[in-house]
């Protein structure tokens, strides 16, 4: 039989060891878990950065291919058709050439628009604001049933082109979603400075939705892409409760 | 001061259940830890009314509690691991119930601490084993982004801390107080402090319980 003193010692040492083991395990577990999570998150951020960069490169390649090569070839084809038109005596054939020329002009216009959509050429030369205004103007032409209002408190965004490009894509995705799903009749796009950061605000009077909830359950890539692009430029999205429709704010800092 | 701490520890046992009730969402009660939360609240009420107010011997409650505790914790880990550790779970349940039956058949108030020590061993091993498995599982999947917002993290940590720190107390209590019964209160403080830590973890965990 153990004496009271030995039992006491076993009890206190045993309890101390158990406490030490459990608290140390807990500490090590929490510490390594967060560390591993950070590594995983850094890795996925890097993957995201690379994939967005690749996407941008590919867009640029296709856009310049369409603009420089395909448009060039079509312009040459149009010239040949014009020459043939001038040489042609037969009126029926002349009409055919006219139609071909018209079709070629339409194709060139479409290519120009697709190329600009893929990679806005003005972003590097004229800046973010010019691209946004141009885009909203085109969207307004295509959707006269929706009234687009613009309210820009800034002349230009002090932002690197790469970040401005991501912001532009986010805005484009938000507008596309409104057109496709919200059945809105009015959309307001604002850009202003709020203390040390900038805010791009898109308000619509269409069907209300919960951005975060939809981004989680949605099968499409639109909302997920918005989240990814915002993470890339370290911007945040806030959905402000609105009496009718949706109010989305993108908060970002200049870089 | 000691009395205040004792009563605080006792009454915070009601908080997890009150938090769940306050949230007013029936679906929250489907969380696998809810039976243990309800048991903690029932234990709090019984310990106050039965043991403190009516001065009923705690031995009977202690024996009933041991069974309810096994069932509640088994249910919790069963819901977490039923697809991967079914055989181990069943083995532990048989072991814990066998230990409980042995102590129930032979139970006497005089030897209550001896029987408590028999019940303590399998349940402590069970809790620590499945807590370890839970951690292992978490590292393998790495699906939880914010550990501090995950209710199961608090529930598992809380019960693991409690069972690890009170193991030697319940295992040796009978022998420790055999010669010096007056020292019971001294040793019992280990249980009060461990209960306080566990209940605090349960409260935080319950705050993070969300609808599935």
């Amino acid at each position: 039989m153990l004496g009271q003193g030995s039992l006491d010692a076993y009890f206190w040492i045993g309890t101390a060891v158990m406490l030490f083991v459990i608290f140390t395990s807990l500490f090590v577990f929490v510490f390594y878990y967060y560390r591993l999570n950070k590594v995983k998150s850094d890795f996925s951020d890097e993957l995201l950065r690379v994939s967005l960069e690749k996407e941008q490169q590919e867009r640029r390649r296709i856009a310049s291919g369409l603009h420089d090569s395909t448009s060039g070839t079509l312009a040459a084809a149009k010239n040949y058709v014009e020459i043939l038109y001038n040489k042609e005596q037969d009126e029926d054939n002349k009409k055919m050439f006219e139609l071909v020329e018209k079709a070629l002009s339409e194709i060139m216009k479409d290519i120009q628009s697709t190329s600009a959509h893929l990679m806005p050429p003005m972003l590097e030369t004229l800046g973010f604001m010019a691209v946004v205004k141009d885009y909203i103007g085109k969207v307004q032409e295509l959707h006269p049933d929706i009234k687009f209002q613009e309210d820009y408190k800034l002349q230009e965004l002090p932002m690197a082109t790469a970040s401005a490009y991501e912001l532009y894509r986010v805005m484009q995705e938000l507008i596309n979603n409104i057109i496709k799903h919200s059945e809105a009749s009015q959309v307001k796009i604002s850009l202003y400075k709020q203390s040390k950061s900038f805010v791009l605000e898109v308000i619509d009077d269409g069907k209300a939705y919960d951005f975060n909830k939809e981004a989680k359950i949605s099968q499409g890539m639109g909302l997920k892409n918005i989240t990814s692009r915002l993470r890339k430029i370290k911007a945040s999205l806030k959905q402000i409760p609105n009496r009718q429709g949706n109010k989305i704010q993108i908060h970002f800092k200049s870089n | 001061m000691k009395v205040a701490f004792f009563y605080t520890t006792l009454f915070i046992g009601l908080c997890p259940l009150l938090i769940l009730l306050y949230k007013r969402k029936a679906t929250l009660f489907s969380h696998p830890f809810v039976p243990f939360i309800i048991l903690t609240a029932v234990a709090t009420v019984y310990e106050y009314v039965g043991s403190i107010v009516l001065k009923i011997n705690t031995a009977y409650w202690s024996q009933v509690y041991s069974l309810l505790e096994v069932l509640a914790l088994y249910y919790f880990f069963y819901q977490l691991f039923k697809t991967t550790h079914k055989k181990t779970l069943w083995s532990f349940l048989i072991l814990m119930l066998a230990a409980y039956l042995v102590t129930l058949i032979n139970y006497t108030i005089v030897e209550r601490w001896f029987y408590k020590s028999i019940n303590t061993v399998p349940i402590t091993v069970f809790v620590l084993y499945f807590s370890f498995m839970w951690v292992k599982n978490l590292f393998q999947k790495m699906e939880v982004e914010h550990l501090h917002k995950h209710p199961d993290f608090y529930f598992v940590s809380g019960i693991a801390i409690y069972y690890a720190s009170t193991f030697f107390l319940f295992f040796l209590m009978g022998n420790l107080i055999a010669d010096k019964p007056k020292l019971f209160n001294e040793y019992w403080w280990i249980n009060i402090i461990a209960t306080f830590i566990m209940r605090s973890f349960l409260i935080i965990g319950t705050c993070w319980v969300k609808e599935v």
Side-chain angles (χ1 to χ4, degrees):
Chain A
M1 282 290 284
L2 286 166
Q4 181 73 27
S6 311
L7 253 183
D8 240 23
Y10 276 122
F11 167 70
W12 287 115
I13 293 169
T15 304
V17 168
M18 286 297 250
L19 278 171
F20 176 77
V21 170
I22 198 77
F23 278 107
T24 311
S25 312
L26 199 65
F27 176 76
V28 171
F29 155 54
V30 173
F31 178 75
Y32 273 100
Y33 191 82
Y34 275 106
R35 220 175 134 175
L36 252 171
N37 231 346
K38 169 111 184 39
V39 171
K40 197 183 151 201
S41 154
D42 288 351
F43 180 69
S44 66
D45 278 356
E46 184 58 19
L47 267 181
L48 175 77
R49 191 189 62 76
V50 171
S51 76
L52 288 176
E53 227 161 64
K54 281 275 159 213
E55 184 215 87
Q56 198 176 343
Q57 276 174 15
E58 199 58 14
R59 276 173 178 272
R60 197 188 297 270
R61 191 185 67 76
I62 297 169
S64 73
L66 282 174
H67 185 266
D68 304 340
S69 173
T70 317
S71 286
T73 314
L74 282 171
K78 200 180 153 200
N79 282 340
Y80 296 142
V81 172
E82 261 178 38
I83 294 166
L84 286 172
Y85 174 85
N86 291 334
K87 282 184 180 172
E88 189 58 58
Q89 302 297 318
D90 185 70
E91 279 304 311
D92 286 344
N93 285 347
K94 267 192 154 187
K95 268 185 187 163
M96 284 303 288
F97 284 132
E98 251 176 55
L99 286 172
V100 172
E101 200 187 330
K102 208 175 165 188
L104 285 171
S105 298
E106 285 295 315
I107 294 170
M108 280 170 74
K109 214 172 152 187
D110 283 350
I111 284 177
Q112 219 169 13
S113 147
T114 309
S115 160
H117 184 80
L118 279 167
M119 192 70 210
M122 291 190 289
L123 200 61
E124 280 173 18
T125 51
L126 299 174
F128 180 80
M129 296 305 299
V131 178
V132 171
K133 284 175 191 168
D134 181 65
Y135 174 72
I136 300 295
K138 279 177 183 161
V139 173
Q140 182 67 84
E141 265 176 43
L142 283 168
H143 302 277
D145 49 321
I146 306 173
K147 193 184 170 197
F148 284 88
Q149 270 182 284
E150 294 169 86
D151 181 18
Y152 308 122
K153 305 275 187 234
L154 301 163
Q155 294 297 316
E156 192 44 68
L157 265 189
M159 213 175 190
T161 311
S163 303
Y165 169 79
E166 301 301 344
L167 192 66
Y168 171 71
R169 288 273 168 239
V170 169
M171 188 216 59
Q172 214 176 22
E173 193 63 50
L174 288 172
I175 303 282
N176 277 346
N177 282 343
I178 293 172
I179 295 167
K180 271 195 228 166
H181 310 292
S182 85
E183 294 169 16
S185 61
Q186 284 192 40
V187 180
K188 188 181 176 189
I189 300 109
S190 317
L191 188 71
Y192 53 91
K193 199 175 177 189
Q194 197 177 65
S195 61
K196 284 181 183 173
S197 59
F198 298 93
V199 181
L200 173 70
E201 192 176 82
V202 181
I203 307 173
D204 70 80
D205 64 348
K207 282 185 201 162
Y209 71 101
D210 184 331
F211 182 91
N212 291 323
K213 207 173 166 183
E214 290 294 326
K216 270 182 195 165
I217 58 168
S218 170
Q219 297 292 314
M221 288 306 292
L223 298 183
K224 288 187 181 85
N225 272 346
I226 290 179
T227 315
S228 306
R229 289 183 194 284
L230 291 178
R231 265 173 66 191
K232 193 188 169 194
I233 59 170
K234 294 186 173 62
S236 62
L237 184 144
K238 281 183 191 166
Q239 185 162 24
I240 314 291
N242 214 11
R243 195 175 287 174
Q244 195 198 344
N246 305 284
K247 186 174 183 177
I248 305 269
Q249 288 183 342
I250 311 291
H251 292 251
F252 56 96
K253 293 208 159 98
S254 65
N255 53 20
Chain B
M1 187 69 182
K2 278 184 173 179
V3 174
F5 185 74
F6 169 77
Y7 278 107
T8 308
T9 304
L10 179 66
F11 288 117
I12 59 170
L14 289 171
C15 294
L17 184 64
L18 292 176
I19 293 167
L20 281 184
L21 291 170
Y22 175 75
K23 287 186 174 179
R24 284 183 189 178
K25 277 180 184 163
T27 46
L28 294 179
F29 282 86
S30 60
H31 191 280
F33 203 70
V34 169
F36 194 82
I37 288 173
I38 295 171
L39 178 63
T40 306
V42 171
T44 302
V45 174
Y46 181 84
E47 278 161 29
Y48 180 70
V49 178
S51 307
I52 297 170
V53 179
L54 302 174
K55 310 273 185 217
I56 299 169
N57 193 324
T58 53
Y60 303 110
W61 166 246
S62 172
Q63 189 63 12
V64 175
Y65 182 82
S66 294
L67 177 65
L68 299 175
E69 179 188 30
V70 163
L71 297 176
L73 290 174
Y74 181 80
Y75 178 77
F76 173 56
F77 283 115
Y78 182 80
Q79 291 298 324
L80 291 184
F81 293 103
K82 61 184 169 190
T83 50
T84 49
H85 294 73
K86 217 170 187 173
K87 279 184 185 170
T88 322
L89 279 162
W90 277 110
S91 309
F92 265 110
L93 182 65
I94 292 166
L95 189 71
M96 289 187 292
L97 289 179
Y100 182 78
L101 275 176
V102 168
T103 59
L104 187 71
I105 293 164
N106 301 294
Y107 196 76
T108 58
I109 291 179
V110 180
E111 287 180 306
R112 56 182 284 206
W113 290 112
F114 171 67
Y115 295 119
K116 179 74 183 170
S117 70
I118 295 175
N119 283 327
T120 297
V121 179
I123 197 163
T124 307
V125 176
F126 171 72
V127 166
L128 294 181
Y129 175 79
F130 278 104
S131 301
F132 175 74
M133 283 298 150
W134 183 80
V135 171
K136 193 180 154 197
N137 210 24
L138 211 67
F139 272 101
Q140 278 171 345
K141 289 183 180 167
M142 292 299 292
E143 283 169 346
V144 177
E145 200 178 344
H146 301 293
L147 208 54
H148 64 280
K149 290 181 184 174
H150 194 51
D152 291 349
F153 165 68
Y154 293 101
F155 296 148
V156 172
S157 307
I159 55 173
I161 290 170
Y162 178 78
Y163 284 93
S165 51
T166 56
F167 175 72
F168 279 94
L169 175 77
F170 292 129
F171 189 61
L172 296 174
M173 192 59 138
N175 294 317
L176 283 169
I177 59 168
D179 294 334
K180 295 176 183 172
K182 283 182 181 172
L183 282 178
F184 175 84
N185 285 345
E186 302 274 319
Y187 294 119
W188 198 244
W189 270 99
I190 296 280
N191 185 41
I192 295 170
I193 295 167
T195 306
F196 179 80
I197 297 171
M198 178 178 73
R199 290 182 174 183
S200 305
F201 272 70
L202 300 197
I203 292 169
I204 305 168
T206 316
C207 292
W208 287 114
V209 171
K210 284 179 192 159
E211 277 180 279
V212 184

